[in-house]
Amino acid sequence: MSQKGILIVFSGFSGAGKGTIMKELTKRYSHTYALSVSATTRKPRLGEAEGREYFFKTQEEFEKMIEKNQLIEYARYVENYYGTPRAYVEEQLNAGKDVILEIEIQGALKIKEIFPQTLLLFVTTPNAAMLKERLIGRGTETMDVISARLKRAWEESQGIENYDYLVVNDDLERCVEEVHSIICSEHKRVARNQDFIRNLREELCP
Ligand code: ADP
Ligand code: 5GP
């Protein structure tokens, strides 16, 4: 069966658990998935490392990347730039990996426009109270930034219908397996297996 890599967008409200889920998913299935590392002008959080969570850039450096067409997409999110470096994504897709972009909704819509076959997943907490609780519990942002992110969550919730699947991050273990199983099913779509079908037909041809 042909196993070309799928481009996957993984979005969700800040604090919904995107980073936590991706870390676990890529650890469990390290040969299957390649997680794209974005560039950002946001300052590193405690424990974040250059080139692991993000490539941390100054505004000037980021704008140079835009000029040189080194980003597939980029967006502004709560006063910072975030963007997806082009080279890694193309390289990993060509190598047959499923490439995951953990990006916000404006970027997701741009990716869908450029690559219509992209699989779009949206993750949320079971309810809004739990989202606030997790954002506060993470302890990485000031209350002002948390408020801005919660306001942004309301705006982003208006765009959920643009996605293919909605995943609820209640129990982490179940959620990680659910994401993996959605992606596995996506590989079985007839539309994604045209080469296999063509070969089969050639073999069957009397
Ligand atoms: P995001 O990347 O979407 O902003 P994080 O992955 O940083 O979110 O998760 C936000 C906080 O919620 C973190 O402190 C994380 O440890 C916690 N968290 C994530 N998933 C769960 C879960 N299923 N149950 C309880 N806490 C969780
Ligand atoms: P955080 O500051 O919490 O790491 O990320 C803030 C938001 O930016 C999240 O919704 C995250 O998914 C999004 N994001 C991270 N990288 C990119 C990117 O390369 N492009 C876009 N459009 N959004 C991104």
Side-chain angles (χ1 to χ4, degrees):
M1 174 99 51
S2 81
Q3 283 297 335
K4 263 169 68 187
I6 297 181
L7 186 59
I8 300 148
V9 160
F10 194 60
S11 301
F13 311 127
S14 181
K18 298 180 297 296
T20 309
I21 296 163
M22 284 303 110
K23 203 169 166 190
E24 191 52 34
L25 184 79
T26 50
K27 191 170 95 189
R28 282 187 200 180
Y29 305 103
S30 57
H31 296 298
T32 309
Y33 300 116
L35 183 62
S36 161
V37 177
S38 298
T40 183
T41 56
R42 161 164 91 56
K43 298 275 172 288
R45 291 179 187 139
L46 198 68
E48 286 184 334
E50 167 69 16
R52 190 179 66 201
E53 279 77 15
Y54 284 104
F55 296 106
F56 296 98
K57 304 286 177 194
T58 62
Q59 175 138 339
E60 200 183 13
E61 287 168 339
F62 196 99
E63 285 167 354
K64 279 251 161 65
M65 292 182 84
I66 299 174
E67 259 169 49
K68 290 184 179 166
N69 198 26
Q70 289 172 345
L71 301 172
I72 303 182
E73 63 72 38
Y74 66 93
R76 279 192 85 85
Y77 176 95
V78 189
E79 294 175 5
N80 281 297
Y81 273 128
Y82 294 81
T84 306
R86 182 184 303 281
Y88 179 81
V89 172
E90 292 179 350
E91 184 186 293
Q92 294 297 313
L93 278 176
N94 288 337
K97 294 253 186 165
D98 288 346
V99 178
I100 306 181
L101 313 182
E102 192 207 303
I103 63 178
E104 54 68 70
I105 190 162
Q106 304 167 75
L109 296 180
K110 281 184 214 154
I111 293 288
K112 191 177 172 177
E113 209 178 294
I114 309 169
F115 307 103
Q117 291 208 349
T118 305
L119 171 65
L120 289 100
L121 311 181
F122 195 92
V123 65
T124 176
T125 45
N127 53 52
M130 203 178 277
L131 185 67
K132 189 172 180 182
E133 211 173 276
R134 285 197 191 154
L135 266 178
I136 294 171
R138 188 168 69 189
T140 50
E141 272 88 17
T142 61
M143 270 322 284
D144 279 356
V145 174
I146 289 176
S147 297
R149 284 176 176 240
L150 285 171
K151 181 169 168 281
R152 184 63 178 245
W154 183 84
E155 290 160 10
E156 288 185 333
S157 73
Q158 309 303 313
I160 295 177
E161 282 85 352
N162 289 295
Y163 287 76
D164 298 311
Y165 290 90
L166 181 66
V167 180
V168 177
N169 178 19
D170 191 350
D171 177 66
L172 181 65
E173 164 72 28
R174 192 190 45 73
C175 188
V176 168
E177 287 310 318
E178 209 167 274
V179 169
H180 180 60
S181 113
I182 290 169
I183 299 169
C184 287
S185 300
E186 191 65 21
H187 273 282
K188 307 293 175 199
R189 270 192 195 277
V190 166
R192 292 195 191 271
N193 289 280
Q194 292 302 319
D195 290 349
F196 176 83
I197 296 166
R198 208 171 299 117
N199 285 340
L200 191 63
R201 283 203 181 115
E202 272 171 26
E203 285 171 18
L204 287 169
C205 187

